[in-house]
Amino acid sequence: MHFQDIVCDTSCAAPYWESYSAAYNDHLYSADFEDIISNMTHGYAFEKRIGFIFREPVASASGFYLLYNSEHTDHVYTLNVSEADELIQRYGYFDLGYVGYIYSSAICGSIPLYRLYNVEEYDHYYTVNESDRDSRLNEGYISQGTAGYILPQP
């Protein structure tokens, strides 16, 4: 992508919410608060708003895939089509479509969305907070790098 191709219209960005199920040890994220509320009946509790993403396609942003493994009750979010295909074909994940659209690089004032994974718990965790990331690393999570870039809290 060339600098002149970047479009930074962030006016249609939506809050990106985090919820968690202690029963399943699973983190769930959505740009649709009704989705967060509806999953409360399945044992998920609202945690916090972690930033902003786009619900609809916008210039300069890419689809953020949502994948789910019912055997391990694990949600994975990725920009990488090849990774999504591998998780589906080799590891039994189901493609649940896009959760939204995020940047693949740090543009338009976006910040990194860190991706961590706890192998023993089969739990993917996402955060924009470096202290939170470091805490999780000390709790047995491993870093899987940056999932993408989202807009920060105002």
Side-chain angles (χ1 to χ4, degrees):
M1 178 179 306
H2 295 83
F3 181 73
Q4 66 268 22
D5 297 333
I6 296 172
V7 177
C8 291
D9 180 6
T10 59
S11 63
C12 60
Y16 194 47
W17 308 99
E18 175 186 327
S19 62
Y20 176 70
S21 168
Y24 299 116
N25 194 34
D26 182 51
H27 288 87
L28 176 66
Y29 303 85
S30 182
D32 181 355
F33 196 69
E34 293 301 318
D35 186 40
I36 296 294
I37 298 298
S38 110
N39 275 293
M40 288 180 170
T41 62
H42 301 291
Y44 286 85
F46 171 74
E47 294 277 306
K48 63 186 174 267
R49 181 177 70 190
I50 62 173
F52 290 83
I53 70 171
F54 301 99
R55 286 185 176 184
E56 302 295 327
V58 296
S60 306
S62 301
F64 199 33
Y65 291 96
L66 167 55
L67 304 161
Y68 176 69
N69 183 303
S70 58
E71 181 182 347
H72 300 297
T73 314
D74 182 41
H75 292 86
V76 176
Y77 304 80
T78 184
L79 287 171
N80 187 317
V81 176
S82 297
E83 178 186 34
D85 289 343
E86 181 177 5
L87 288 168
I88 292 165
Q89 294 168 6
R90 293 185 64 200
Y91 299 103
Y93 282 80
F94 296 96
D95 182 354
L96 299 181
Y98 295 124
V99 69
Y101 299 82
I102 66 173
Y103 298 122
S104 59
S105 60
I107 59 172
C108 304
S110 62
I111 56 176
L113 178 62
Y114 302 109
R115 181 170 126 177
L116 301 111
Y117 182 59
N118 187 313
V119 178
E120 293 176 12
E121 302 289 336
Y122 296 104
D123 181 43
H124 280 88
Y125 180 73
Y126 299 79
T127 184
V128 295
N129 184 298
E130 291 178 9
S131 303
D132 188 21
R133 176 198 62 194
D134 295 345
S135 260
R136 297 286 175 157
L137 291 170
N138 290 330
E139 295 170 8
Y141 283 79
I142 57 170
S143 174
Q144 292 189 323
T146 302
Y149 296 81
I150 67 173
L151 298 170
Q153 305 268 9

